[in-house]
Amino acid sequence: MLDNNQLLRFTTAGSVDDGKSTLIGRLLYDSKSIFEDQLEAIENTSKKKGHEGVDLALFTDGLRDEREQGITIDVAYRYFTTPKRKFIIADTPGHIQYTRNMVTGASTANAAIILVDARHGVIEQTRRHSFIASLLQIPHVIVCINKMDLVDFQEDAYQKVIEQFEEFSSKMMVKDVRFIPISALLGDNVVNRSEHMDWYQGAPLLHTLETMHISSDINKVDARFPVQTVLRPQQGEFRDYRGYAGRVASGVFRPGDEVTVMPSGFTSKIRSIDTFDSAVNEAFAPMSVSITLEDDIDISRGDMIVRSNNMPEASQDIEVMLCWLNNSPAKPRAKYTIKHTSNDQKAMIKEVVYKIDINTLERKEDDKELTMNDICKVKLRTTQPLMVDSYRENRTTGSIILVDDATNETVAAGMVV
């Protein structure tokens, strides 16, 4: 029986041709996570292209355009399991014009693997992806210094990249940064230790991913329970049952806790917490449960149950870092639907405070037009108060999306400042 209940989501980032897809292919290949028919198909494609051996990048580049051009366009999700853990990989694109794809792929990740070509060192695209990783508050960053085989496995090349990366990453909010010298093509330090780099004493990449401590990434302090629906079976033994169903966003709830329902402000105590099978003594993120209260309170979808001694801010004026995802630019003072946890309201962009120049990471305060892939700080005004925490403290209650009512397209994703 495998005890690998813990799921680690990680995203890969790096410049074009730094070897992201090859690295993931190598992880899947060396950890024996590929089906035989897949392997056969990839071997045939590799032969047709005239490669010696297997082209590992083909395991992730699923779109035909990607295979033909040899680039990654969309976010490709891959799943694999080892005896220690389950993994979901988001392979995100390296090109500038696909910044928005990287933001969506990285938004739920526990860790980001940033690839750096040992020959070129830290370049603009490395800075850009590291900045997005810190903006999305990804708790762990692993900098993989790839193509060590092309610099003769020299420790100097590895140390040089570490110095470059640490120099600019000191300005960013990343708690845990690790460096690993690898060759994705040859498999050095990916799943197995490298024989060519005995100067490197750390663990290979897979071992690092398997043993990384991620339990503390979830906010266990701020108890937040966005209500998705009200359960009223009204039959049999459940004739008087009234439960509020949803998924715990953060924190821990227990029967007997004093809670406040927002935005109404009514207070009560938790009578019971039920799951599909039975009642439980505590609920924590990301469990889906039904909570019953001791008092009859009018609660509906979009309300939030929180601990009375620890409440989020209820506000109609919200400052967010926004990534514009849509092809058409933002319309000034246009109305959008804002989605925050289970709550949908109308909102408008009141003001663009500044845009970030994604190349230099400087603020541009005079340029107010939002176009695709722009990252900016904006002020939003909503029709009803939203119960928000800052994204830095709570990635679930600190994130929003904007939807265009006319086309029903998601036009932006934002993080509450």
Side-chain angles (χ1 to χ4, degrees):
M1 174 69 184
L2 299 179
D3 180 27
N4 63 346
N5 294 331
Q6 213 176 20
L7 172 68
L8 176 96
R9 294 167 179 269
F10 66 92
T11 177
T12 56
S15 186
V16 182
D17 293 338
D18 273 350
K20 295 185 295 296
S21 299
T22 307
L23 173 67
I24 293 173
R26 172 61 68 191
L27 262 179
L28 297 172
Y29 188 69
D30 283 6
S31 63
K32 313 276 188 289
S33 303
I34 292 160
F35 296 116
E36 279 180 19
D37 56 339
Q38 263 181 313
L39 191 56
E40 221 168 279
I42 301 288
E43 280 170 351
N44 293 339
T45 315
S46 303
K47 266 187 205 139
K48 274 185 206 153
K49 288 181 138 193
H51 294 301
E52 289 175 29
V54 181
D55 181 0
L56 296 166
L58 297 176
F59 289 126
T60 54
D61 288 343
L63 298 173
R64 185 172 293 161
D65 274 1
E66 296 181 321
R67 287 188 178 178
E68 283 172 2
Q69 297 177 48
I71 61 168
T72 304
I73 296 172
D74 200 2
V75 182
Y77 291 97
R78 289 288 172 274
Y79 303 83
F80 75 104
T81 300
T82 70
K84 293 185 183 160
R85 233 178 216 166
K86 298 189 183 91
F87 297 94
I88 298 180
I89 313 168
D91 181 20
T92 59
H95 292 67
I96 299 174
Q97 69 262 41
Y98 304 125
T99 300
R100 59 180 182 167
N101 303 47
M102 182 185 165
V103 170
T104 49
S107 58
T108 54
N110 303 94
I113 295 178
I114 293 176
L115 267 92
V116 178
D117 187 323
R119 298 167 303 173
H120 304 145
V122 171
I123 57 172
E124 190 182 284
Q125 196 72 333
T126 318
R127 290 195 183 90
R128 183 180 298 123
H129 286 166
S130 307
F131 169 69
I132 293 173
S134 80
L135 188 69
L136 290 165
Q137 296 289 318
I138 297 176
H140 310 278
V141 170
I142 304 171
V143 181
C144 285
I145 295 141
N146 192 21
K147 308 197 179 182
M148 288 298 292
D149 49 313
L150 300 180
V151 292
D152 300 328
F153 301 106
Q154 291 294 316
E155 187 177 2
D156 298 353
Y158 167 69
Q159 290 298 345
K160 195 169 138 201
V161 175
I162 292 182
E163 281 164 29
Q164 289 175 336
F165 192 89
E166 284 181 338
E167 187 186 331
F168 90 94
S169 69
S170 58
K171 303 182 188 105
M172 300 185 314
M173 305 280 300
V174 182
K175 302 182 193 92
D176 175 25
V177 182
R178 307 171 192 212
F179 299 92
I180 304 177
I182 65 165
S183 164
L185 191 66
L186 305 178
D188 290 77
N189 281 340
V190 180
V191 172
N192 304 310
R193 286 194 73 87
S194 168
E195 293 170 5
H196 301 104
M197 294 181 274
D198 43 12
W199 45 263
Y200 172 70
Q201 296 301 310
L205 176 62
L206 183 63
H207 181 77
T208 305
L209 289 168
E210 283 181 330
T211 54
M212 184 177 276
H213 179 67
I214 57 169
S215 306
S216 56
D217 296 349
I218 296 171
N219 179 329
K220 297 192 178 75
V221 178
D222 306 314
R224 306 282 185 260
F225 184 75
V227 175
Q228 289 184 12
T229 188
V230 181
L231 301 180
R232 297 288 310 279
Q234 293 184 319
Q235 43 187 265
E237 58 184 300
F238 298 110
R239 187 157 296 284
D240 298 323
Y241 186 88
R242 186 192 191 98
Y244 307 103
R247 179 190 242 184
V248 181
S250 58
V252 181
F253 289 92
R254 296 183 182 87
D257 282 355
E258 286 217 0
V259 291
T260 300
V261 179
M262 297 189 68
S264 67
F266 287 116
T267 58
S268 183
K269 281 190 175 170
I270 295 179
R271 179 184 288 161
S272 69
I273 301 174
D274 304 309
T275 64
F276 181 71
D277 305 316
S278 60
V280 291
N281 290 327
E282 61 175 24
F284 46 85
M287 284 171 66
S288 294
V289 296
S290 166
I291 289 179
T292 67
L293 302 179
E294 292 186 353
D295 304 279
D296 271 343
I297 300 175
D298 180 16
I299 300 177
S300 54
R301 179 181 169 84
D303 291 353
M304 194 182 279
I305 297 174
V306 301
R307 279 245 199 82
S308 300
N309 59 358
N310 174 345
M311 294 174 29
E313 185 188 355
S315 176
Q316 285 179 267
D317 292 294
I318 302 167
E319 288 197 359
V320 295
M321 292 299 295
L322 207 63
C323 176
W324 195 258
L325 309 173
N326 202 270
N327 295 322
S328 21
K331 304 180 202 74
R333 303 189 81 79
K335 284 237 169 46
Y336 296 99
T337 293
I338 184 168
K339 289 179 179 282
H340 171 258
T341 63
S342 58
N343 196 348
D344 296 1
Q345 302 290 345
K346 293 282 179 276
M348 74 175 188
I349 299 172
K350 214 166 69 167
E351 183 194 342
V352 177
V353 184
Y354 58 79
K355 269 167 60 167
I356 286 173
D357 183 328
I358 204 85
N359 301 322
T360 61
L361 306 189
E362 287 169 357
R363 298 175 177 186
K364 298 191 287 189
E365 293 182 6
D366 45 352
D367 180 3
K368 302 290 188 185
E369 194 188 10
L370 294 191
T371 53
M372 186 161 83
N373 295 321
D374 278 346
I375 292 179
C376 53
K377 185 178 181 181
V378 301
K379 290 181 179 173
L380 299 176
R381 175 82 199 216
T382 61
T383 47
Q384 300 286 328
L386 293 180
M387 287 66 77
V388 295
D389 294 289
S390 84
Y391 185 82
R392 185 176 300 160
E393 286 158 16
N394 199 324
R395 284 169 81 181
T396 309
T397 54
S399 53
I400 57 111
I401 59 170
L402 295 181
V403 177
D404 185 333
D405 291 344
T407 59
N408 210 23
E409 290 176 339
T410 301
V411 292
M415 291 138 290
V416 178
V417 180

